[in-house]
């Protein structure tokens, strides 16, 4: 059942974002920022954690989950370091995911020989 919930919730998030991209004039970068900020706000008010427990990877993998991870990192760093944690918490929390995306993207470019768009 966990796989099914992750599949349909992740698919629903992607479908809603696709509709948002096609029905509005928002650029993809702005939609990405909107998703990250929405995940951070939902996490800050305590709504994202129960949602993530229900949906699993369907909620943690999209950009909403990344925003939640950043918010958690900032919150923990502020508790430990005070005000300076605002600047370091997000970097520490998001470093593994960002590094993995860069490394796997680079490896994929070596394997599949990408070409520039014309």
């Amino acid at each position: 059942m966990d796989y099914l919930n992750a599949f349909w919730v992740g698919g629903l998030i992607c479908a809603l974002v696709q509709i948002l991209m096609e029905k509005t004039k928002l650029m993809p970068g702005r939609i990405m920022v909107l998703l990250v900020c929405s995940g951070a706000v939902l996490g800050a008010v305590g709504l994202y954690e129960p949602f993530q427990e229900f949906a699993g990877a369907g909620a943690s993998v999209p950009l909403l989950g990344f925003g939640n991870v950043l918010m958690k990192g900032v919150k923990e760093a502020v508790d430990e370091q005070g005000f300076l944690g605002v600047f370091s918490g997000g970097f520490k929390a998001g470093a593994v995911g960002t590094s993995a995306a860069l490394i796997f993207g680079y490896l994929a470019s070596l394997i599949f020989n990408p070409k520039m768009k014309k």
Side-chain angles (χ1 to χ4, degrees):
M1 195 64 178
D2 291 338
Y3 294 121
L4 184 62
N5 286 338
F7 178 76
W8 77 263
V9 170
L12 181 65
I13 291 170
C14 292
L16 291 173
V17 170
Q18 188 66 39
I19 291 169
L20 186 65
M21 288 176 69
E22 291 181 11
K23 298 295 181 184
T24 67
K25 294 184 179 185
L26 290 173
M27 299 299 290
R30 291 183 184 204
I31 292 173
M32 291 171 49
V33 169
L34 179 69
L35 289 170
V36 172
C37 292
S38 298
V41 170
L42 288 172
V45 296
L47 296 175
Y48 203 80
E49 197 65 36
F51 175 62
Q52 189 171 356
E53 286 179 22
F54 170 75
S60 64
V61 172
L63 284 174
L64 288 170
F66 184 65
N68 185 46
V69 165
L70 292 177
M71 185 279 310
K72 279 187 194 176
V74 168
K75 185 177 178 183
E76 289 174 9
V78 167
D79 291 342
E80 293 173 7
Q81 302 170 356
F83 181 72
L84 290 178
V86 171
F87 302 107
S88 65
F91 289 116
K92 286 183 182 177
V96 173
T98 305
S99 298
L102 290 171
I103 291 168
F104 290 129
Y106 178 71
L107 291 175
S109 73
L110 292 176
I111 294 169
F112 294 107
N113 192 18
K115 295 176 180 57
M116 297 297 291
K117 288 185 175 181
K118 294 181 181 181

